[in-house]
Coordinates of all heavy atoms in Angstrom, one line a residue:
K232 N 45.2 -45.4 -118.5 CA 44.2 -46.3 -117.8 C 42.9 -46.0 -118.3 O 42.1 -46.9 -118.5 CB 44.3 -45.9 -116.3 CG 45.5 -46.3 -115.5 CD 45.5 -45.8 -114.1 CE 46.8 -46.1 -113.4 NZ 46.8 -45.4 -112.1
A233 N 42.6 -44.6 -118.4 CA 41.3 -44.3 -118.9 C 41.0 -44.8 -120.4 O 39.9 -45.2 -120.7 CB 41.0 -42.8 -118.9
V234 N 42.0 -44.6 -121.3 CA 41.9 -45.2 -122.7 C 41.6 -46.6 -122.7 O 40.9 -47.1 -123.4 CB 43.2 -44.7 -123.5 CG1 43.0 -45.3 -124.9 CG2 43.2 -43.1 -123.6
A235 N 42.5 -47.3 -121.9 CA 42.4 -48.8 -121.8 C 40.9 -49.2 -121.4 O 40.3 -50.1 -121.9 CB 43.3 -49.3 -120.9
L236 N 40.3 -48.5 -120.5 CA 39.0 -48.8 -120.1 C 37.8 -48.3 -120.8 O 36.7 -48.6 -120.6 CB 38.9 -48.3 -118.6 CG 39.7 -49.0 -117.5 CD1 39.6 -48.2 -116.3 CD2 39.5 -50.4 -117.4
G237 N 38.1 -47.6 -122.0 CA 37.2 -47.2 -123.0 C 36.9 -45.8 -123.2 O 36.0 -45.4 -124.0
A238 N 37.7 -44.9 -122.5 CA 37.6 -43.4 -122.8 C 38.0 -43.0 -124.1 O 39.0 -43.5 -124.6 CB 38.2 -42.6 -121.6
T239 N 37.4 -42.0 -124.6 CA 37.9 -41.4 -125.9 C 39.0 -40.6 -125.7 O 40.0 -40.5 -126.4 CB 36.7 -40.6 -126.6 OG1 35.5 -41.4 -126.9 CG2 37.2 -40.0 -127.8
A240 N 38.9 -39.7 -124.6 CA 39.9 -38.7 -124.3 C 39.8 -38.3 -122.8 O 38.8 -38.7 -122.2 CB 39.9 -37.5 -125.1
V241 N 40.9 -37.8 -122.3 CA 41.0 -37.4 -120.9 C 41.2 -35.9 -120.8 O 42.1 -35.4 -121.5 CB 42.0 -38.2 -120.2 CG1 42.3 -37.7 -118.9 CG2 41.7 -39.7 -120.2
G242 N 40.7 -35.2 -119.8 CA 40.9 -33.8 -119.7 C 41.9 -33.6 -118.5 O 41.7 -34.3 -117.5
V243 N 42.8 -32.6 -118.8 CA 43.7 -32.4 -117.7 C 43.5 -30.8 -117.3 O 43.3 -30.0 -118.1 CB 45.2 -32.4 -118.2 CG1 46.2 -32.1 -117.1 CG2 45.4 -33.8 -118.7
G244 N 43.3 -30.6 -116.0 CA 43.1 -29.2 -115.5 C 44.1 -28.7 -114.6 O 44.9 -27.9 -115.1
R245 N 44.1 -29.1 -113.3 CA 44.9 -28.4 -112.4 C 46.5 -28.5 -112.8 O 47.2 -27.5 -112.6 CB 44.8 -29.1 -111.0 CG 43.6 -28.8 -110.3 CD 43.4 -29.3 -108.9 NE 42.3 -28.9 -108.2 CZ 41.2 -29.6 -108.0 NH1 41.0 -30.7 -108.8 NH2 40.2 -29.1 -107.3
P246 N 47.0 -29.6 -113.3 CA 48.5 -29.5 -113.7 C 48.8 -28.3 -114.5 O 49.9 -27.8 -114.3 CB 48.7 -30.9 -114.4 CG 47.7 -31.8 -113.7 CD 46.4 -30.9 -113.5
F247 N 47.9 -28.0 -115.5 CA 48.2 -26.9 -116.5 C 48.1 -25.5 -115.7 O 48.7 -24.6 -116.0 CB 47.3 -27.0 -117.7 CG 47.7 -28.1 -118.6 CD1 46.7 -28.8 -119.4 CD2 48.9 -28.7 -118.6 CE1 46.9 -29.9 -120.1 CE2 49.2 -29.9 -119.4 CZ 48.1 -30.4 -120.1
L248 N 47.1 -25.5 -114.8 CA 46.9 -24.3 -114.0 C 48.1 -23.9 -113.2 O 48.6 -22.8 -113.2 CB 45.7 -24.4 -113.0 CG 44.3 -24.3 -113.7 CD1 43.2 -24.5 -112.6 CD2 44.1 -22.9 -114.3
Y249 N 48.6 -25.0 -112.5 CA 49.9 -24.9 -111.7 C 51.0 -24.5 -112.6 O 51.9 -23.5 -112.3 CB 50.2 -26.1 -111.0 CG 49.2 -26.6 -110.1 CD1 49.1 -28.0 -109.8 CD2 48.3 -25.8 -109.4 CE1 48.1 -28.5 -108.9 CE2 47.3 -26.2 -108.5 CZ 47.2 -27.6 -108.3 OH 46.2 -28.0 -107.4
A250 N 51.1 -25.0 -113.8 CA 52.3 -24.8 -114.6 C 52.2 -23.3 -115.2 O 53.3 -22.6 -115.1 CB 52.1 -25.8 -116.0
F251 N 51.1 -22.9 -115.6 CA 51.2 -21.4 -116.2 C 51.1 -20.4 -115.1 O 51.5 -19.3 -115.2 CB 50.1 -21.2 -117.2 CG 48.6 -20.9 -116.8 CD1 48.4 -19.8 -116.1 CD2 47.6 -21.8 -117.2 CE1 47.0 -19.6 -115.7 CE2 46.3 -21.5 -116.9 CZ 46.1 -20.5 -116.0
S252 N 50.6 -20.8 -113.9 CA 50.6 -19.8 -112.8 C 52.0 -19.5 -112.4 O 52.4 -18.4 -111.9 CB 49.7 -20.3 -111.6 OG 48.4 -20.4 -112.0
S253 N 52.9 -20.6 -112.5 CA 54.2 -20.4 -112.1 C 55.1 -20.0 -113.2 O 56.1 -19.1 -113.0 CB 54.8 -21.9 -111.6 OG 54.1 -22.2 -110.4
Y254 N 55.0 -20.4 -114.4 CA 55.8 -20.2 -115.6 C 55.3 -19.7 -116.8 O 55.9 -19.6 -117.8 CB 56.7 -21.5 -115.8 CG 57.5 -21.9 -114.6 CD1 57.0 -23.0 -113.9 CD2 58.6 -21.2 -114.2 CE1 57.7 -23.6 -112.8 CE2 59.3 -21.8 -113.0 CZ 58.8 -22.9 -112.4 OH 59.5 -23.3 -111.3
G255 N 54.0 -19.4 -116.8 CA 53.3 -19.0 -118.0 C 53.3 -20.0 -119.1 O 53.2 -21.2 -118.8
F256 N 53.4 -19.5 -120.4 CA 53.4 -20.5 -121.5 C 54.5 -21.5 -121.5 O 54.2 -22.7 -121.7 CB 53.6 -19.7 -122.9 CG 54.0 -20.6 -124.0 CD1 53.1 -21.2 -124.6 CD2 55.3 -20.6 -124.4 CE1 53.4 -22.2 -125.7 CE2 55.7 -21.4 -125.5 CZ 54.8 -22.2 -126.1
E257 N 55.7 -21.2 -121.0 CA 56.7 -22.1 -120.9 C 56.4 -23.2 -119.9 O 56.9 -24.4 -120.1 CB 58.1 -21.4 -120.4 CG 58.7 -20.6 -121.5 CD 57.9 -19.2 -121.5 OE1 57.0 -18.8 -120.7 OE2 58.3 -18.4 -122.6
G258 N 55.7 -22.9 -118.8 CA 55.3 -23.9 -117.9 C 54.3 -25.0 -118.5 O 54.5 -26.2 -118.3
V259 N 53.3 -24.5 -119.3 CA 52.5 -25.5 -119.9 C 53.1 -26.2 -121.0 O 52.9 -27.5 -121.2 CB 51.2 -24.7 -120.5 CG1 50.1 -25.6 -121.0 CG2 50.6 -23.8 -119.5
D260 N 54.0 -25.5 -121.7 CA 54.8 -26.2 -122.8 C 55.5 -27.4 -122.1 O 55.6 -28.5 -122.8 CB 55.7 -25.1 -123.5 CG 56.5 -25.8 -124.6 OD1 56.1 -26.8 -125.2 OD2 57.6 -25.2 -124.7
H261 N 56.2 -27.1 -121.0 CA 57.0 -28.1 -120.5 C 56.2 -29.3 -119.9 O 56.6 -30.5 -120.0 CB 57.8 -27.5 -119.3 CG 58.9 -28.5 -118.7 ND1 59.8 -29.1 -119.5 CD2 59.1 -28.8 -117.4 CE1 60.6 -29.8 -118.7 NE2 60.2 -29.7 -117.4
A262 N 55.0 -28.9 -119.3 CA 54.0 -29.9 -118.7 C 53.6 -30.9 -119.9 O 53.6 -32.1 -119.7 CB 52.9 -29.3 -118.0
L263 N 53.2 -30.3 -120.9 CA 52.8 -31.1 -122.1 C 54.0 -32.0 -122.6 O 53.7 -33.1 -123.0 CB 52.2 -30.3 -123.2 CG 50.9 -29.8 -122.9 CD1 50.4 -28.6 -123.8 CD2 49.8 -30.9 -123.1

Side-chain angles (χ1 to χ4, degrees):
K232 291 173 191 175
V234 171
L236 293 173
T239 302
V241 171
V243 181
R245 285 185 177 94
F247 294 150
L248 286 179
Y249 300 153
F251 79 65
S252 294
S253 299
Y254 302 105
F256 163 78
E257 289 78 11
V259 187
D260 180 30
H261 187 55
L263 281 165

